[in-house]
Amino acid sequence: MKNLLIAAVLLMPAAAGAQQNIKLGNMDVNPFMSTQESYDSNIYLSRNKRKGSTINRSALGFELIQKVGSRLDLKGGYSMDVLSYAVNTSTNNAVHHNAGFSATARLPKSMTLSVDDKYKQTTDQATSQTTKRAARVENTAGLNLEAPLRGNFGFTVAVQHVYNNYLSGNFSGLDREETLMGADVSYKLQPKTRMFVSYRYGNLNYQSGNTNDATYNNVDLGLAGDIAPKVMGTVTAGMQARKYKNDSGTAKNDITTMGYSAQAVWKALAKTDVTIFGKRGNVESTYGSSRFYTSTLMDVGVTRQVNKIKAGLGFGYESVLYPEKTTLANPKRLDENTSVRLTAVYNIQKWLTADCGFTYKSRNSNESTFEYNDKALSLGIKAMF
């Protein structure tokens, strides 16, 4: 697979790539391919049983874009990733599949209806707390209807369904479905800035047993668009009131959690972007008697374009607190995950890029069994047509 990708990239004439896509009537077809070679010093994220390996990750995929008249936009895509490890190949090698579809319809009276679906079959960890890789399927489908109200007011009705299915029996306790539905009411403060109040009702159902089944209510206040000079993004703050349907005997059944989220890009200087991401919320878990943990995450990345090279530096920090004690004698488990990354992307042609990167990540915990550190170095090439 790797040799095939490299040969295809090297033999592809520059003139073909200059088109940036293939036209089939009104449909744009954008194929891409990539290969990356990396070395990971601790592929199992273990404290004491560290194992390093080279890893090749090669991908093939395409994106489809179709406009139907002036009122309907369609998008779709698919990619296949092939992972090849140098050690324990029968266990570690994997093939990942990703597919997606979206449709946006512009309706009368300035209303907009959008639907989307994202599917993936992967062995990558679902959260930062999972150290073992396991085959799993995740599908997220959503529907949104946006419409203006009187004056500067508007509203959105939203429905989302998330399906998680682990193909390994070791993680079957996390198989679940989650449905959210609710609405937003927004007010346009400026032409490119809006404030909104959001409500979502959630229903969480596990496939095995019903101890972790729950309903919850999310209420948030947010700001979206141009939220500050040279800063574009969305910030929210709010709370979740969660109620479990059944008593586990070892954990609380009514939980209230304050949360926030922030996604923003600051155009600090010409050709320099600062990307900020933050989030606090509950994440599903099967550790001990805890049915979830509370994650408080912050990540900052800086990129700078210098001629044909985009250089990047990033830092991430996550505090993870479990609500229940592992044993009566111990405090509640608290983990701190940190990461540092360096990246560089070189534009060889409009359609061809090369990249390299270095990542360091570690976990500190008041339960030392879960501590680890890991370093990874990568070099790759990607062609987009």
Side-chain angles (χ1 to χ4, degrees), residues 54-71:
T54 57
I55 308 166
N56 177 266
R57 188 169 192 144
S58 297
L60 287 169
F62 61 86
E63 180 186 44
L64 306 176
I65 302 174
Q66 172 78 58
K67 288 185 176 293
V68 182
S70 61
R71 290 188 174 271

Side-chain angles (χ1 to χ4, degrees), residues 93-166:
N93 288 359
V95 178
H96 296 173
H97 302 278
N98 297 273
F101 169 80
S102 68
T104 302
R106 288 171 286 279
L107 305 178
K109 298 184 179 181
S110 300
M111 294 190 297
T112 301
L113 176 67
S114 60
V115 295
D116 64 88
D117 188 87
K118 295 179 182 178
Y119 169 89
K120 62 178 164 182
Q121 181 177 325
T122 181
T123 60
D124 290 342
Q125 294 91 337
T127 70
S128 63
Q129 289 304 96
T130 306
T131 55
K132 293 182 179 180
R133 295 170 59 233
R136 62 186 179 89
V137 170
E138 180 180 317
N139 191 86
T140 303
L143 180 147
N144 286 269
L145 175 65
E146 298 182 27
L149 294 174
R150 299 183 64 178
N152 290 334
F153 285 94
F155 79 92
T156 301
V157 176
V159 179
Q160 185 183 67
H161 179 267
V162 183
Y163 171 78
N164 286 276
N165 179 34
Y166 280 84

Side-chain angles (χ1 to χ4, degrees), residues 62-255:
F62 61 86
E63 180 186 44
L64 306 176
I65 302 174
Q66 172 78 58
K67 288 185 176 293
V68 182
S70 61
R71 290 188 174 271
L72 181 62
D73 297 339
L74 303 175
K75 291 183 180 181
Y78 168 79
S79 67
M80 177 181 69
D81 293 4
V82 180
L83 279 69
S84 302
Y85 284 72
V87 300
N88 298 335
T89 57
S90 60
T91 302
N92 292 323
N93 288 359
V95 178
H96 296 173
H97 302 278
N98 297 273
F101 169 80
S102 68
T104 302
R106 288 171 286 279
L107 305 178
K109 298 184 179 181
S110 300
M111 294 190 297
T112 301
L113 176 67
S114 60
V115 295
D116 64 88
D117 188 87
K118 295 179 182 178
Y119 169 89
K120 62 178 164 182
Q121 181 177 325
T122 181
T123 60
D124 290 342
Q125 294 91 337
T127 70
S128 63
Q129 289 304 96
T130 306
T131 55
K132 293 182 179 180
R133 295 170 59 233
R136 62 186 179 89
V137 170
E138 180 180 317
N139 191 86
T140 303
L143 180 147
N144 286 269
L145 175 65
E146 298 182 27
L149 294 174
R150 299 183 64 178
N152 290 334
F153 285 94
F155 79 92
T156 301
V157 176
V159 179
Q160 185 183 67
H161 179 267
V162 183
Y163 171 78
N164 286 276
N165 179 34
Y166 280 84
L167 307 180
S168 168
N170 294 334
F171 291 88
S172 60
L174 288 171
D175 292 347
R176 63 193 186 275
E177 294 183 72
E178 190 170 3
T179 304
L180 298 94
M181 58 186 69
D184 303 345
V185 176
S186 62
Y187 180 79
K188 187 178 291 186
L189 297 173
Q190 298 289 340
K192 295 183 179 181
T193 308
R194 63 185 180 90
M195 181 174 65
F196 61 91
V197 177
S198 172
Y199 169 77
R200 296 291 184 274
Y201 170 81
N203 188 36
L204 181 63
N205 288 302
Y206 277 77
Q207 302 300 311
S208 177
N210 54 16
T211 303
N212 292 345
D213 291 355
T215 59
Y216 55 85
N217 296 276
N218 293 344
V219 180
D220 294 287
L221 177 66
L223 195 65
D226 292 341
I227 57 178
K230 297 185 177 181
V231 180
M232 177 178 291
T234 302
V235 295
T236 67
M239 60 167 285
Q240 179 186 91
R242 178 183 294 211
K243 182 177 181 61
Y244 284 94
K245 299 177 182 178
N246 296 279
D247 188 0
S248 70
T250 57
K252 295 179 180 180
N253 295 320
D254 296 283
I255 307 294

